Amino acid sequence: MDNILKLFEDGGPMMIPLAGIAFVGILIFFERLFYLHRGQIRASEFVAGIKESLKKRRLLEALTICDDTPGPVPRVVKAVLLSSEGKKGEMEAAAEAAAINEFALIERRVASLALVAKIAPLAGLLGTVVALLEIFHEMGEKKGYAAAADFSIFVYNALLSSAFGLVICIFAYVGYSFLNGRVRALAHDIEWSANETVLFISRGMPEKENLRMGGK
């Protein structure tokens, strides 16, 4: 702990804002990770259960399954079921409207993690530049020559903020890429489940229909 505090002290005033940026990035990552994990279901099994209810013409049972299952996939499928008495175009429009709302929710704040990855190295570089300016200002005030050992210590301290900013950038970008992959997987499940349900209803909900491959 003392070593960490010493690094922050040596790194200069920008180390505190960088720590704040890192803290914000960590909060965003774990909040989004928890949200996306909670919304991830086995789409193929869910749609198979919906089809079984529809084959028996139990629309209310299918709606209950959607209400009891968490996540964006059941909510989009529910929108399709609520418009199932209309034409195929009406079901597709209902699915698209519901999917747009869900996409906005699952993508929310993910881009903020990419912003953290962009800001962190710039903030670190600013800290280094400010520290170097202070070093050269002090050397100019003393009107003398600094020993190489002393100067290397000054430069080491100045570069700490840049190093810290780069570390934050790397972890933030890895976290952003990971979350972006989860978002794409969830978006695929939403689209597949909605399309599969629309097609099944538009074909008259045949009892011998097998689940087409494509979901998870």
Side-chain angles (χ1 to χ4, degrees):
M1 187 65 181
D2 291 338
N3 291 335
I4 295 176
L5 293 175
K6 183 67 166 56
L7 283 175
F8 271 78
E9 183 180 348
D10 293 341
M14 283 304 295
M15 294 293 281
I16 295 177
L18 282 169
I21 292 172
F23 181 71
V24 170
I26 291 171
L27 285 181
I28 293 173
F29 175 78
F30 282 105
E31 186 274 332
R32 287 290 87 191
L33 180 64
F34 177 73
Y35 180 86
L36 294 172
H37 177 73
R38 187 175 56 183
Q40 193 78 46
I41 64 172
R42 293 186 179 275
S44 59
E45 294 180 5
F46 170 76
V47 173
I50 295 296
K51 284 188 174 184
E52 287 301 317
S53 296
L54 294 178
K55 287 176 184 179
K56 300 172 184 177
R57 301 305 188 264
R58 297 176 179 174
L59 179 60
L60 184 58
E61 180 181 290
L63 290 171
T64 301
I65 294 174
C66 292
D67 289 334
D68 293 341
T69 307
V73 172
R75 290 194 288 268
V76 175
V77 172
K78 181 181 179 179
V80 175
L81 296 178
L82 290 174
S83 60
S84 59
E85 295 183 358
K87 297 180 180 179
K88 181 180 178 181
E90 295 175 355
M91 289 188 289
E92 290 175 340
E96 183 178 356
I100 289 174
N101 291 332
E102 297 300 331
F103 289 159
L105 290 175
I106 65 177
E107 292 174 351
R108 186 172 58 182
R109 287 192 289 273
V110 173
S112 299
L113 204 56
L115 183 61
V116 168
K118 292 179 181 179
I119 291 177
L122 295 177
L125 180 61
L126 176 61
T128 295
V129 171
V130 170
L132 288 175
L133 287 174
E134 291 178 352
I135 292 170
F136 285 112
H137 176 72
E138 289 183 7
M139 291 175 60
E141 289 291 323
K142 292 179 179 179
K143 297 180 180 180
Y145 293 96
D150 295 334
F151 187 74
S152 64
I153 293 175
F154 291 148
V155 173
Y156 165 77
N157 293 342
L159 290 175
L160 281 176
S161 60
S162 284
F164 190 36
L166 289 173
V167 170
I168 297 172
C169 172
I170 292 171
F171 280 100
Y173 187 76
V174 171
Y176 168 74
S177 300
F178 177 79
L179 291 179
N180 204 33
R182 297 293 295 269
V183 167
R184 289 198 301 269
L186 192 52
H188 171 268
D189 285 350
I190 292 172
E191 293 177 354
W192 177 84
S193 300
N195 291 335
E196 188 70 20
T197 305
V198 169
L199 290 174
F200 179 71
I201 295 174
S202 64
R203 285 195 292 265
M205 297 176 285
E207 295 185 1
K208 295 183 179 180
E209 165 98 358
N210 290 323
L211 187 70
R212 297 187 303 114
M213 297 301 294
K216 295 181 181 181

